[in-house]
Amino acid sequence: MTGDNTLENQIAKRLASLCKPSGSLGELERVAARLCEIQKSLVPVTRPRHVTIFAADHGVTCEGVTAWPSSVTGAVVNVMQRGRSASGVFASELKCSYEVVDVGLIAAIEVADSPVINAAQRRGTGNILHVRAMSDAEYEHVWSAGATRARMACEAGNVLLIGGEMGIGNTTSASCLIGLFTDCEVDTIVGCGAGIDEDALIRKRQ
């Protein structure tokens, strides 16, 4: 299709025709447009929907780059498995099925009838200041675990998948990946995360 008949233009016209000022819903309108594009429909479907949280521990945490120790990851996952974390409460209120997948917690969560799924091959990643976080095979394992959970959620009939993650030290690892894939300066991509002080921020940037 070309010109005004492209799906992008049809979506824009559809949003403009709704009873609201143009662009007044901000980011929500951009999300809605993207959902229309993905589903190739002007009336996207959002139910049934499913939330998967992937949890793991980062070895670099021992370098003092976070406000809390790695043990907090497991403590939060314990709350998640009871549906009492923010993600669990939102999932319940929005009528989403919900699961937490352990892809590398330092200590496995062993609770019967828990939504926590054990898909870990190793317990915690390596300290990236000194060694690789994971081997190629370990990386492929966790990538496959994510793909498997997504496929199973789709096979269960879900049309909207929502992903999240939990792991103390996550912003340090994420910053390293952003630095690897972009030309951004360290001071631009490395921030305080969940509330470290200035000394910890200097260590984190180093």
Side-chain angles (χ1 to χ4, degrees), residues 119 121 132 134-148:
Q121 187 178 65
R132 295 177 65 183
M134 294 176 283
S135 67
D136 290 347
E138 289 164 346
Y139 166 80
E140 291 296 337
H141 172 81
V142 294
W143 182 270
S144 177
T148 296

Side-chain angles (χ1 to χ4, degrees), residues 5 17 22 34 44 65 72 78 87 102 113 116-118 125 128 133 136-137 144 152 154 173 179 184-185 191 193-194:
N5 290 323
S17 72
S22 179
R34 181 62 178 143
V65 294
V72 172
N78 268 304
S87 59
D102 172 4
D113 300 321
V116 177
I117 296 164
N118 185 355
T125 64
I128 54 176
D136 290 347
S144 177
M152 292 180 68
C154 290
S173 297
C184 295
E185 294 294 326

